[in-house]
Amino acid sequence: MDANTSSFTHCISLGCACRMGWSMAAYGLRSFSSPFDWIVSPLGAVLRTIESGFADFMKRENLCPEPENPAVFRDTKYDFVFVHDIQESLEADYEDIRRKYARRASRFLEAAKEPTVFFRYVRDNEEIRYIQENRCRIESTIKKLNPRNEIIFFPPSTGNVNYVSAFSTPLFDDKVSFDAVLPPEKRLQNIRFFLTSNLLKYNPTYSLIFPPFRDYAAENFLAGKSWFIWGTGRHGDRIKALLQEQGIRIEGFIDSAPEKQGKEFCGKTICSWDDVAGEARNLFIAIMDKEAREHIKALVRASDMRSPGAGTEIYDMEDLNKQLAGLSDSEILAMLSKDSGKHPGVPAASPPASLEK
């Protein structure tokens, strides 16, 4: 594939798990849900499913709950694992799940009739060997749907996949533009969907994985101030990294857990809100749980009311995402052009399967 000149109508994830679908969504390369987005899928089984036109896919007699976790079920024919679909039980939810995946399968087959680039995150060295030994079959399967279709593999921890197969391309490097894959207008539409989707409701910090959004938020919403960060977990670490990358001063860290207070985190002593209440502060709440965030906001506002002159500016990721969602088309297109050619990375967290479009 000559990725510098080719342009595709669709980009579709072939798994092997949520990582690839999520990365594509964050970069404006994903415009709808397809069958392999949020499931764990061996590559050989993916090929068999496509070759059969999804025959027997999601047949009830092939599905069984995992003994150790009834919220997870497996398709025993294809060895697919579904981790995000059960709300109550497999028996109670089966019809809804079946209809959802039937829509996704139909959408997949129709879309792949148009020029499509497929993305596959390689699960392990065994799969790399499988790719090397089955190159002709892989290419034949995807090109049977449309001769212009291509596939790109992403081995763990690297974006350069030349060693995997001759028809793979290291797409996300400095030499290739994202615009060679999808037109900017299409990516703009996908980004707008991403910014208002339940992916960000599930985990508001996911938008930080997209460098232009991260940079824009820091430069336009957070710069010129020094910040306290409330939260010393994974999300606090992400916000800390964002501020440090932009040279924005971090005054300190706050945590509600008494066992953390007084300990060192990123070179600073973790304090309680009581230690800093009563002074004007810029506070970023880096906590996942929405109810906990609202509780902290109420606590801080009540504290400010008791202290004349105190006026804490409170921010969290939902605030940033709302502002990002309000950007104009020209601002988003400018950000997309900034990031053309950069590898998206593959975040470890997994979004829910309820995203539909």
Side-chain angles (χ1 to χ4, degrees):
M1 175 177 65
D2 183 358
N4 285 297
T5 58
S6 297
S7 185
F8 297 88
T9 306
H10 305 288
C11 298
I12 298 178
S13 169
L14 294 184
C16 65
C18 312
R19 297 179 182 94
M20 184 50 70
W22 161 248
S23 291
M24 291 169 61
Y27 276 74
L29 299 174
R30 178 178 176 274
S31 53
F32 57 81
S33 292
S34 62
F36 307 111
D37 285 353
W38 312 126
I39 70 175
V40 180
S41 56
L43 179 56
V46 169
L47 296 176
R48 291 199 307 275
T49 308
I50 296 171
E51 289 163 351
S52 71
F54 290 84
D56 296 332
F57 179 63
M58 293 295 297
K59 287 192 74 170
R60 180 63 185 90
E61 57 264 36
N62 297 331
L63 307 181
C64 62
E66 294 285 78
E68 297 178 0
N69 186 354
V72 176
F73 67 95
R74 183 181 298 269
D75 185 319
T76 56
K77 176 171 181 175
Y78 293 110
D79 202 29
F80 295 148
V81 178
F82 299 76
V83 296
H84 300 299
D85 295 283
I86 291 179
Q87 303 298 316
E88 184 178 337
S89 68
L90 178 58
E91 204 61 47
D93 298 335
Y94 171 69
E95 274 304 315
D96 287 340
I97 296 172
R98 183 193 64 77
R99 285 193 293 267
K100 176 175 67 177
Y101 278 95
R103 290 194 303 271
R104 292 179 179 180
S106 175
R107 187 185 297 146
F108 178 101
L109 292 172
E110 282 302 308
K113 293 176 182 177
E114 300 178 296
T116 298
V117 56
F118 296 97
F119 294 76
R120 171 75 183 183
Y121 186 80
V122 180
R123 62 193 300 180
D124 51 29
N125 287 333
E126 183 178 345
E127 182 166 309
I128 290 177
R129 288 192 293 272
Y130 179 90
I131 293 168
Q132 292 170 333
E133 294 168 2
N134 293 272
R135 288 164 51 183
C136 292
R137 179 190 176 188
I138 294 169
E139 189 166 14
S140 173
T141 299
I142 65 164
K143 288 184 178 294
K144 184 177 180 180
L145 300 165
N146 185 301
R148 289 181 56 193
N149 289 350
E150 298 287 352
I151 186 168
I152 298 169
F153 292 99
F154 291 80
S157 303
T158 178
N160 192 319
V161 293
N162 279 335
Y163 69 91
V164 177
S165 67
F167 54 89
S168 295
T169 302
L171 186 64
F172 302 114
D173 63 18
D174 292 335
K175 300 175 183 177
V176 183
S177 168
F178 282 124
D179 297 343
V181 182
L182 286 181
E185 295 75 16
K186 179 72 170 177
R187 292 185 61 215
L188 170 64
Q189 177 185 342
N190 294 344
I191 285 289
R192 285 231 173 269
F193 174 56
F194 165 71
L195 285 172
T196 57
S197 73
N198 62 1
L199 284 175
L200 293 187
K201 294 174 185 175
Y202 172 78
N203 186 333
T205 65
Y206 276 165
S207 60
L208 293 185
I209 294 170
F210 185 44
F213 285 159
R214 186 174 67 233
D215 296 345
Y216 190 95
E219 292 168 6
N220 293 276
F221 308 143
L222 304 176
K225 305 169 185 175
S226 55
W227 293 85
F228 270 89
I229 298 175
W230 193 314
T232 56
R234 178 161 53 97
H235 304 298
D237 196 54
R238 281 184 178 175
I239 299 302
K240 179 260 304 179
L242 166 66
L243 298 180
Q244 287 181 334
E245 284 174 11
Q246 298 293 331
I248 299 173
R249 176 179 168 78
I250 299 173
E251 287 196 45
F253 296 90
I254 303 169
D255 204 290
S256 303
E259 64 272 16
K260 290 187 176 182
Q261 295 165 6
K263 294 183 178 179
E264 190 171 287
F265 182 77
C266 299
K268 296 185 180 293
T269 301
I270 301 172
C271 58
S272 69
W273 173 247
D274 289 340
D275 295 330
V276 297
E279 302 177 34
R281 303 287 185 187
N282 299 302
L283 176 65
F284 200 109
I285 304 174
I287 293 177
M288 175 74 167
D289 185 80
K290 182 178 178 64
E291 186 175 333
R293 293 198 306 270
E294 293 304 316
H295 174 75
I296 291 170
K297 289 179 181 180
L299 174 70
V300 172
R301 290 180 183 124
S303 173
D304 282 355
M305 290 180 66
R306 294 192 298 269
S307 303
T312 307
E313 181 176 352
I314 307 172
Y315 247 87
D316 64 17
M317 275 307 305
E318 282 193 310
D319 297 323
L320 289 186
N321 289 334
K322 287 176 184 176
Q323 290 183 288
L324 290 170
L327 295 179
S328 67
D329 287 357
S330 59
E331 287 171 319
I332 292 181
L333 285 171
M335 286 193 295
L336 292 178
S337 65
K338 261 188 181 181
D339 201 61
S340 290
K342 293 183 181 178
H343 189 281
V346 184
S350 301
S354 56
L355 176 64
E356 287 282 352
K357 187 178 181 184

